[in-house]
Amino acid sequence: MKKLVVITGASSGFGAEIAKIFNADGFPMLLLGRRTEKLEKVAAGMDNVMIDSVDVTDYDQFEKAIRKAEVKYGKTDLLVNNAGVMLLGNVQNQNPKEWQTMLDTNVMGVLNGTQIVLNDMREREHGTILNMSSIAGRKTFVNHAAYVASKFGVHGLSETLREENSVKNVRIMMVAPGAAETELLTHVTSKSALKDYAAWEETMGGVVLDPKHVAETVKFMYDMPQEVNIREVDIAATRQDS
Ligand code: NDP
């Protein structure tokens, strides 16, 4: 039996594609998200898969789900901290609750997941945590202030964690995608920000990243031997200029 892979935000987008690719290679998995029906659809027909409705901002819920899967499949060898939200808007008039949601999910969710699996990985001197950041974690975008803050946070905490855990042979990896075709934009409430985003996508000829290429990248990074850490990958549509 291969080792346990835990994927957050597996109910759609990148997470669902990452689940497909690891399942095809025979990995037991725990798929997490809040929408059970969507998780069930992703897991349909897969062997050795557990799903659990978990909000990554709820540490206890998150930990319980992972411990339950570990009883069945053994300790987590890969955690993909992928769950995230992007609520576009500008600071002049965006509802502060949207900032809170992004910081809680995109930063606290990643820290929660990391702590839940990290000590066992350090003890075993084996394991990988891969954080899904964004190009918005290394450069700024108009209408993205709080999202950018959250993803700069993911960049910063990932590199700090890598420095802290390299001595224990634990790999901390990060993938920073550009614009991609997922459900991410469907939660945006600002019509003008959505319009600006659509206009920007048009500059790429409307051809943004296919999530399957992000999933392939994650798999490639993980498949390197434990002594090799592909620390960070930026991946975006060729026509994305920023
Ligand atoms: P989707 O909206 O398709 O997927 C987001 C996933 O996160 C869903 O499965 C959702 O599941 C889950 N999620 C959101 N909030 C929570 C929460 N509180 N607890 C648990 N799960 C949660 O978008 P993407 O696939 O695009 O997003 C995945 C990651 O990729 C995010 O971190 C995003 O910031 C990042 N990213 C996306 C880009 C893009 O253009 N699409 C570009 C760069 C980075 P559920 O609603 O069921 O809880």
Side-chain angles (χ1 to χ4, degrees), residues 9-14 33-35 54-56 82-85 105 132-134 147 151 177-180 182-184 187 197:
S11 55
S12 64
F14 297 152
R34 292 162 304 175
R35 293 168 299 170
V54 158
D55 186 326
V56 293
N82 164 74
V85 276
T105 312
M132 195 60 73
S133 187
S134 169
Y147 183 70
K151 292 300 187 179
T182 67
E183 291 183 15
L184 199 67
H187 310 289
Y197 197 91

Short mmCIF file of all heavy atoms in Angstrom, two decimals, residues 9-14 33-35 54-56 82-85 105 132-134 147 151 177-180 182-184 187 197, ligand 1:
data_model
loop_
_atom_site.label_atom_id
_atom_site.label_comp_id
_atom_site.label_asym_id
_atom_site.label_seq_id
_atom_site.Cartn_x
_atom_site.Cartn_y
_atom_site.Cartn_z
N GLY A 9 -9.55 21.12 0.03
CA GLY A 9 -10.16 21.77 -1.13
C GLY A 9 -10.25 20.81 -2.30
O GLY A 9 -10.04 21.19 -3.45
N ALA A 10 -10.61 19.56 -1.98
CA ALA A 10 -10.63 18.52 -3.03
C ALA A 10 -11.98 18.44 -3.73
O ALA A 10 -12.16 17.62 -4.63
CB ALA A 10 -10.28 17.17 -2.41
N SER A 11 -12.92 19.28 -3.33
CA SER A 11 -14.26 19.17 -3.91
C SER A 11 -14.38 19.85 -5.28
O SER A 11 -15.39 19.68 -5.95
CB SER A 11 -15.30 19.73 -2.94
OG SER A 11 -14.96 21.06 -2.58
N SER A 12 -13.39 20.63 -5.68
CA SER A 12 -13.44 21.24 -7.02
C SER A 12 -12.04 21.68 -7.45
O SER A 12 -11.07 21.51 -6.70
CB SER A 12 -14.40 22.44 -7.02
OG SER A 12 -13.93 23.46 -6.17
N GLY A 13 -11.96 22.24 -8.65
CA GLY A 13 -10.73 22.88 -9.12
C GLY A 13 -9.47 22.05 -9.02
O GLY A 13 -9.45 20.86 -9.32
N PHE A 14 -8.39 22.70 -8.58
CA PHE A 14 -7.09 22.02 -8.50
C PHE A 14 -7.15 20.77 -7.63
O PHE A 14 -6.59 19.74 -7.96
CB PHE A 14 -6.02 22.97 -7.90
CG PHE A 14 -5.71 24.19 -8.70
CD1 PHE A 14 -5.26 25.35 -8.08
CD2 PHE A 14 -5.86 24.21 -10.08
CE1 PHE A 14 -4.95 26.49 -8.81
CE2 PHE A 14 -5.56 25.35 -10.83
CZ PHE A 14 -5.10 26.50 -10.18
N GLY A 33 -13.11 18.95 2.22
CA GLY A 33 -13.79 20.15 1.71
C GLY A 33 -15.06 20.28 2.54
O GLY A 33 -15.37 19.38 3.32
N ARG A 34 -15.80 21.36 2.35
CA ARG A 34 -17.02 21.49 3.15
C ARG A 34 -18.22 20.85 2.46
O ARG A 34 -19.16 20.43 3.10
CB ARG A 34 -17.30 22.97 3.44
CG ARG A 34 -16.28 23.61 4.38
CD ARG A 34 -16.33 25.10 4.29
NE ARG A 34 -16.12 25.53 2.91
CZ ARG A 34 -16.20 26.79 2.49
NH1 ARG A 34 -16.48 27.75 3.34
NH2 ARG A 34 -15.98 27.09 1.23
N ARG A 35 -18.19 20.76 1.13
CA ARG A 35 -19.37 20.27 0.40
C ARG A 35 -19.28 18.77 0.14
O ARG A 35 -18.59 18.32 -0.78
CB ARG A 35 -19.50 21.04 -0.93
CG ARG A 35 -19.83 22.51 -0.75
CD ARG A 35 -19.66 23.29 -2.03
NE ARG A 35 -18.29 23.24 -2.54
CZ ARG A 35 -17.93 23.68 -3.74
NH1 ARG A 35 -18.80 24.18 -4.55
NH2 ARG A 35 -16.66 23.61 -4.12
N VAL A 54 -14.95 18.99 6.09
CA VAL A 54 -14.10 19.70 7.06
C VAL A 54 -13.93 21.14 6.63
O VAL A 54 -13.70 21.42 5.46
CB VAL A 54 -12.72 18.99 7.14
CG1 VAL A 54 -11.64 19.92 7.66
CG2 VAL A 54 -12.80 17.74 8.00
N ASP A 55 -14.04 22.04 7.58
CA ASP A 55 -13.68 23.44 7.35
C ASP A 55 -12.24 23.59 7.85
O ASP A 55 -11.98 23.37 9.04
CB ASP A 55 -14.65 24.35 8.13
CG ASP A 55 -14.41 25.81 7.81
OD1 ASP A 55 -13.25 26.20 7.57
OD2 ASP A 55 -15.39 26.57 7.84
N VAL A 56 -11.34 23.97 6.97
CA VAL A 56 -9.92 24.00 7.37
C VAL A 56 -9.62 25.05 8.45
O VAL A 56 -8.56 25.02 9.06
CB VAL A 56 -8.96 24.21 6.17
CG1 VAL A 56 -8.98 23.03 5.23
CG2 VAL A 56 -9.25 25.52 5.43
N ASN A 82 -4.42 22.96 -0.11
CA ASN A 82 -4.88 23.60 -1.36
C ASN A 82 -6.12 24.47 -1.16
O ASN A 82 -6.36 25.40 -1.92
CB ASN A 82 -5.15 22.48 -2.38
CG ASN A 82 -5.98 22.95 -3.54
OD1 ASN A 82 -5.49 23.66 -4.42
ND2 ASN A 82 -7.26 22.58 -3.55
N ALA A 83 -6.92 24.18 -0.13
CA ALA A 83 -8.19 24.93 0.07
C ALA A 83 -7.91 26.42 0.11
O ALA A 83 -6.97 26.87 0.77
CB ALA A 83 -8.87 24.48 1.35
N GLY A 84 -8.72 27.19 -0.59
CA GLY A 84 -8.52 28.63 -0.57
C GLY A 84 -9.69 29.37 -1.19
O GLY A 84 -10.50 28.78 -1.92
N VAL A 85 -9.76 30.64 -0.88
CA VAL A 85 -10.80 31.49 -1.47
C VAL A 85 -10.19 32.80 -1.96
O VAL A 85 -9.23 33.31 -1.37
CB VAL A 85 -11.94 31.83 -0.47
CG1 VAL A 85 -12.97 30.74 -0.41
CG2 VAL A 85 -11.42 32.15 0.91
N THR A 105 -8.99 31.30 5.85
CA THR A 105 -8.91 30.08 5.03
C THR A 105 -7.50 29.91 4.46
O THR A 105 -6.88 28.84 4.60
CB THR A 105 -9.91 30.15 3.85
OG1 THR A 105 -11.17 30.55 4.36
CG2 THR A 105 -10.03 28.81 3.15
N MET A 132 -0.55 25.45 -1.66
CA MET A 132 -0.98 26.07 -2.91
C MET A 132 -1.03 27.58 -2.68
O MET A 132 -1.90 28.09 -1.98
CB MET A 132 -2.37 25.54 -3.30
CG MET A 132 -2.76 25.83 -4.72
SD MET A 132 -1.63 25.12 -5.96
CE MET A 132 -2.03 23.37 -5.86
N SER A 133 -0.07 28.28 -3.26
CA SER A 133 -0.08 29.74 -3.16
C SER A 133 -0.64 30.29 -4.47
O SER A 133 -1.64 29.77 -4.99
CB SER A 133 1.32 30.27 -2.84
OG SER A 133 1.25 31.66 -2.59
N SER A 134 0.01 31.27 -5.04
CA SER A 134 -0.50 31.92 -6.25
C SER A 134 0.59 32.86 -6.76
O SER A 134 1.46 33.28 -5.99
CB SER A 134 -1.74 32.74 -5.87
OG SER A 134 -2.11 33.59 -6.93
N TYR A 147 -6.40 39.32 -0.77
CA TYR A 147 -5.98 38.01 -1.32
C TYR A 147 -4.46 37.98 -1.44
O TYR A 147 -3.81 37.01 -1.05
CB TYR A 147 -6.64 37.79 -2.68
CG TYR A 147 -6.35 36.44 -3.31
CD1 TYR A 147 -6.88 35.27 -2.77
CD2 TYR A 147 -5.55 36.33 -4.45
CE1 TYR A 147 -6.62 34.02 -3.35
CE2 TYR A 147 -5.30 35.09 -5.04
CZ TYR A 147 -5.83 33.95 -4.49
OH TYR A 147 -5.57 32.72 -5.07
N LYS A 151 -1.82 35.41 0.24
CA LYS A 151 -0.91 34.54 -0.52
C LYS A 151 0.56 34.93 -0.32
O LYS A 151 1.43 34.06 -0.34
CB LYS A 151 -1.29 34.54 -2.01
CG LYS A 151 -2.63 33.85 -2.28
CD LYS A 151 -2.64 32.37 -1.85
CE LYS A 151 -3.91 31.65 -2.28
NZ LYS A 151 -3.94 30.22 -1.88
N PRO A 177 0.26 29.07 -8.88
CA PRO A 177 -0.34 29.13 -10.22
C PRO A 177 -0.81 30.54 -10.58
O PRO A 177 -1.10 31.37 -9.71
CB PRO A 177 -1.57 28.21 -10.11
CG PRO A 177 -1.48 27.53 -8.78
CD PRO A 177 -0.65 28.43 -7.91
N GLY A 178 -0.91 30.75 -11.89
CA GLY A 178 -1.58 31.94 -12.41
C GLY A 178 -3.05 31.65 -12.60
O GLY A 178 -3.57 30.63 -12.10
N ALA A 179 -3.72 32.50 -13.35
CA ALA A 179 -5.17 32.35 -13.54
C ALA A 179 -5.52 30.99 -14.13
O ALA A 179 -4.87 30.54 -15.08
CB ALA A 179 -5.67 33.45 -14.47
N ALA A 180 -6.52 30.36 -13.57
CA ALA A 180 -6.92 29.02 -14.02
C ALA A 180 -8.44 28.90 -14.03
O ALA A 180 -9.14 29.65 -13.35
CB ALA A 180 -6.32 27.96 -13.11
N THR A 182 -11.34 27.39 -12.71
CA THR A 182 -11.88 26.62 -11.58
C THR A 182 -13.12 27.36 -11.07
O THR A 182 -13.58 28.30 -11.70
CB THR A 182 -10.84 26.53 -10.43
OG1 THR A 182 -10.67 27.86 -9.90
CG2 THR A 182 -9.50 25.98 -10.87
N GLU A 183 -13.58 26.97 -9.87
CA GLU A 183 -14.74 27.66 -9.30
C GLU A 183 -14.36 28.92 -8.52
O GLU A 183 -15.21 29.58 -7.92
CB GLU A 183 -15.50 26.71 -8.35
CG GLU A 183 -16.18 25.57 -9.06
CD GLU A 183 -16.97 24.68 -8.10
OE1 GLU A 183 -17.23 25.10 -6.95
OE2 GLU A 183 -17.32 23.58 -8.51
N LEU A 184 -13.06 29.23 -8.50
CA LEU A 184 -12.55 30.29 -7.62
C LEU A 184 -13.30 31.61 -7.75
O LEU A 184 -13.62 32.26 -6.75
CB LEU A 184 -11.06 30.51 -7.89
CG LEU A 184 -10.27 31.22 -6.80
CD1 LEU A 184 -10.18 30.38 -5.53
CD2 LEU A 184 -8.86 31.57 -7.27
N HIS A 187 -17.21 32.94 -6.26
CA HIS A 187 -17.57 33.48 -4.94
C HIS A 187 -17.36 35.00 -4.84
O HIS A 187 -17.64 35.60 -3.80
CB HIS A 187 -16.77 32.76 -3.85
CG HIS A 187 -16.83 31.27 -3.96
ND1 HIS A 187 -17.97 30.55 -3.69
CD2 HIS A 187 -15.90 30.36 -4.37
CE1 HIS A 187 -17.74 29.26 -3.91
NE2 HIS A 187 -16.50 29.12 -4.32
N TYR A 197 -11.44 41.53 -14.05
CA TYR A 197 -10.75 40.23 -14.15
C TYR A 197 -11.00 39.60 -15.52
O TYR A 197 -10.09 39.09 -16.17
CB TYR A 197 -11.22 39.31 -13.03
CG TYR A 197 -10.30 38.13 -12.77
CD1 TYR A 197 -9.26 38.23 -11.84
CD2 TYR A 197 -10.45 36.93 -13.45
CE1 TYR A 197 -8.40 37.16 -11.60
CE2 TYR A 197 -9.60 35.85 -13.22
CZ TYR A 197 -8.59 35.97 -12.28
OH TYR A 197 -7.74 34.91 -12.05
P1 NDP B 1 -12.05 26.28 -6.30
O1 NDP B 1 -12.98 27.32 -5.79
O2 NDP B 1 -12.48 25.43 -7.43
O3 NDP B 1 -11.59 25.34 -5.10
C1 NDP B 1 -11.40 25.82 -3.79
C2 NDP B 1 -11.49 24.64 -2.85
O4 NDP B 1 -11.25 25.09 -1.52
C3 NDP B 1 -12.87 23.99 -2.89
O5 NDP B 1 -12.70 22.60 -2.90
C4 NDP B 1 -13.49 24.43 -1.57
O6 NDP B 1 -14.32 23.40 -1.08
C5 NDP B 1 -12.25 24.56 -0.69
N1 NDP B 1 -12.46 25.45 0.46
C6 NDP B 1 -12.71 26.78 0.46
N2 NDP B 1 -12.85 27.23 1.72
C7 NDP B 1 -12.71 26.16 2.53
C8 NDP B 1 -12.75 25.96 3.93
N3 NDP B 1 -12.97 26.97 4.78
N4 NDP B 1 -12.56 24.71 4.41
C9 NDP B 1 -12.34 23.69 3.58
N5 NDP B 1 -12.27 23.79 2.24
C10 NDP B 1 -12.46 25.02 1.73
O7 NDP B 1 -10.73 27.07 -6.66
P2 NDP B 1 -9.25 26.59 -7.05
O8 NDP B 1 -9.18 25.15 -7.31
O9 NDP B 1 -8.80 27.54 -8.06
O10 NDP B 1 -8.47 26.93 -5.70
C11 NDP B 1 -7.56 26.07 -5.07
C12 NDP B 1 -6.37 26.86 -4.57
O11 NDP B 1 -5.66 27.39 -5.69
C13 NDP B 1 -6.73 28.05 -3.70
O12 NDP B 1 -5.84 28.12 -2.62
C14 NDP B 1 -6.54 29.25 -4.63
O13 NDP B 1 -6.25 30.41 -3.93
C15 NDP B 1 -5.37 28.75 -5.46
N6 NDP B 1 -5.18 29.43 -6.74
C16 NDP B 1 -6.16 29.44 -7.71
C17 NDP B 1 -5.96 30.10 -8.92
C18 NDP B 1 -7.01 30.18 -9.97
O14 NDP B 1 -6.93 31.05 -10.84
N7 NDP B 1 -7.99 29.30 -9.98
C19 NDP B 1 -4.68 30.75 -9.21
C20 NDP B 1 -3.72 30.64 -8.14
C21 NDP B 1 -3.97 30.02 -6.98
P3 NDP B 1 -15.71 23.60 -0.30
O15 NDP B 1 -16.37 24.82 -0.88
O16 NDP B 1 -16.42 22.33 -0.59
O17 NDP B 1 -15.32 23.74 1.13
#
